[in-house]
Amino acid sequence: MTIQAAIIDKLTKALNPTHLDVANESHMHNVPPGSESHFRVVIVSESFDGAPLVKRHRSVNTVLADDLKTNIHALALHTYTPAEFKERQTKAPASPDCHG
């Protein structure tokens, strides 16, 4: 199983998202071709209702704790409630260009 697939599996099981997009952005960084080390996660879950941003990020980081210790170098998180995501017209900010 790829790291990307493992992230999707773990987040789906733990947070029951209504929307989940996990993008491997490693190619945008100075890493060997085929690397899986930099990811962008857009996750929408009812479990985020009433939770501040830091608590949402902590919940994702807890689910991915082992991967963050071993496989994931960078993780860009965009965490929304269903209402927030609908208000954003189902768009999350793009990741910035890497300068290193």
Side-chain angles (χ1 to χ4, degrees):
M1 178 181 291
T2 65
I3 296 168
Q4 183 176 7
I7 292 170
I8 292 167
D9 184 59
K10 290 175 183 181
L11 292 177
T12 299
K13 288 177 180 173
L15 299 173
N16 193 30
T18 56
H19 175 86
L20 177 61
D21 179 38
V22 178
N24 179 356
E25 295 187 335
S26 301
H27 66 280
M28 297 167 55
H29 302 273
N30 188 19
V31 297
S35 292
E36 285 191 287
S37 58
H38 296 69
F39 293 91
R40 177 178 183 264
V41 174
V42 178
I43 183 168
V44 180
S45 176
E46 291 179 5
S47 68
F48 297 147
D49 283 339
L53 186 61
V54 69
K55 188 171 181 179
R56 296 174 190 191
H57 286 208
R58 282 184 186 149
S59 66
V60 172
N61 288 338
T62 297
V63 172
L64 301 177
D66 290 338
D67 295 294
L68 287 164
K69 290 177 189 173
T70 58
N71 300 318
I72 299 172
H73 174 73
L75 186 63
L77 295 176
H78 303 280
T79 55
Y80 303 104
T81 66
E84 290 168 341
F85 197 57
K86 183 177 180 184
E87 186 176 298
R88 293 186 69 79
Q89 299 178 3
T90 68
K91 293 181 185 174
S95 295
D97 290 332
C98 178
H99 296 288

